[in-house]
Amino acid sequence: MKLTAEQHETLDREGFLFLSDLFSAEETAVLRAALPAIFARTGPEIVRELSGAVRTAFGVHTYSDIYWRLSRHPRLVEPAMQVLGGPVYIHQFKVNAKAAFDGDVWQWHQDYGTWSRDDLMPEPHAMNLAVYLDPVNEFNGPLMFIPRSHRRGRIEAGHDLETTSYPLWTIDNETIETLVAEGGIVAPKGEPGAALLFHCNLVHGSAPNMSPWGRRAVYFSANRVDNAIRRFQRPEYIAHRDFTPVEPLGDDCLLVGTEHTAGAAAQ
Ligand code: SIN
Ligand code: MN
């Protein structure tokens, strides 16, 4: 699947593109069905909130067959190759849970801020493609963007090791105030199957989830193969070292096919 010229132009200009129904209800039902077994894992790849609720399941495509297939889905891989201008590999692949009542804040940040400082990713030739697995509304901690903030390039950031269970390079309030005065804030709402494509320098974050509705979403972080990371400081399940170009599967790959990963039986 290719983005239209207009979609591509919107993504370049605003730093993000919202697609309200990239995946069907049938496809997202299959993806959701695999989550209880994934969240029940006890390894370090399952990062928990300070409360103990699951915050993020990292590297899901390495132990779940259905997420392995999603990581090769043409509706994600082809737009990523188109936007980044070449073959891509999976830098990070995770499910964020944003649990009902317990889902904690994601402070304002740029992903390239972390990828460049921690992983020595040379250039911002990477992007995110997120797919909603639950409905996202104004109450359950939707992902918030500052439109056009990616045009600033990489912004000064501090390493926040304390606010949540997950270290992040975060941007100070004064800078956020200036960026928001220029670009505002958007938080696209949508149903399962909606997708958000965004530039790795787009400033984003999300508030804690006080609502009784969890909002799980899967994030595919694609990096251009010639832009592979240079430092292997973070765990492999957070910053992958396999730079093999991703080959897209068939468009129906979530609904037909066989198991691909060793851990798939655990589903
Ligand atoms: C992220 O920035 O990686 C995720 C933020 C969120 O899910 O709210
Ligand atoms: Mn992020």
Side-chain angles (χ1 to χ4, degrees):
M1 186 200 94
K2 283 261 172 108
L3 301 181
T4 64
E6 195 185 345
Q7 288 172 328
H8 196 168
E9 201 262 325
T10 300
L11 176 56
D12 281 348
R13 187 185 63 243
E14 301 299 315
F16 72 97
L17 176 69
F18 179 63
L19 301 170
S20 59
D21 54 0
L22 189 61
F23 290 91
S24 69
E26 199 184 357
E27 289 170 321
T28 51
V30 179
L31 292 167
R32 266 198 313 276
L35 291 177
I38 291 171
F39 288 2
R41 293 171 69 91
T42 54
E45 72 282 3
I46 310 298
V47 173
R48 293 177 184 277
E49 307 283 13
L50 298 171
S51 70
V54 172
R55 178 176 177 86
T56 302
F58 281 102
V60 274
H61 64 305
T62 63
Y63 48 80
S64 160
D65 173 66
I66 196 71
Y67 284 94
W68 183 91
R69 292 192 230 176
L70 184 67
S71 74
R72 269 108 185 126
H73 202 290
R75 279 174 247 157
L76 299 179
V77 177
E78 288 172 3
M81 293 194 296
Q82 177 187 3
V83 170
L84 298 175
V88 300
Y89 75 90
I90 302 166
H91 173 59
Q92 193 173 82
F93 197 90
K94 66 185 187 234
V95 174
N96 277 353
K98 194 62 98 167
F101 299 113
D102 284 322
D104 208 348
V105 64
W106 284 82
Q107 314 92 305
W108 289 112
H109 68 281
Q110 296 171 304
D111 283 353
Y112 186 65
T114 298
W115 299 343
S116 58
R117 292 179 179 95
D118 285 352
D119 307 328
L120 294 187
M121 184 184 285
E123 300 288 336
H125 298 321
M127 67 182 291
N128 285 309
L129 304 98
V131 180
Y132 296 177
L133 300 174
D134 291 313
V136 174
N137 57 44
E138 58 269 63
F139 308 110
N140 61 359
L143 192 58
M144 300 189 289
F145 292 138
I146 304 179
R148 300 183 290 286
S149 53
H150 64 304
R151 297 190 196 178
R152 286 288 191 99
R154 196 186 81 169
I155 297 169
E156 271 310 296
H159 206 194
D160 183 347
L161 303 168
E162 279 163 21
T163 304
T164 75
S165 58
Y166 185 70
L168 206 58
W169 288 89
T170 61
I171 299 172
D172 66 60
N173 292 351
E174 206 181 325
T175 308
I176 296 299
E177 205 171 334
T178 309
L179 292 172
V180 171
E182 290 165 7
I185 300 179
V186 297
K189 295 170 215 162
E191 293 303 309
L196 272 172
L197 281 53
F198 58 103
H199 192 282
C200 62
N201 269 332
L202 191 71
V203 178
H204 61 283
S206 60
N209 186 2
M210 293 170 63
S211 85
W213 305 299
R215 67 115 176 111
R216 296 164 299 182
V218 54
Y219 291 76
F220 177 175
S221 304
N223 188 20
R224 216 167 71 186
V225 168
D226 64 0
N227 192 45
I229 61 169
R230 307 282 199 261
R231 185 197 280 155
F232 303 158
Q233 167 182 287
R234 300 198 296 167
E236 207 282 334
Y237 52 82
I238 291 183
H240 296 296
R241 281 61 145 152
D242 180 354
F243 308 140
T244 312
V246 180
E247 294 290 341
L249 300 173
D251 194 71
D252 58 357
C253 63
L254 295 180
L255 303 177
V256 297
T258 53
E259 292 189 347
H260 293 273
T261 60
Q267 289 182 40

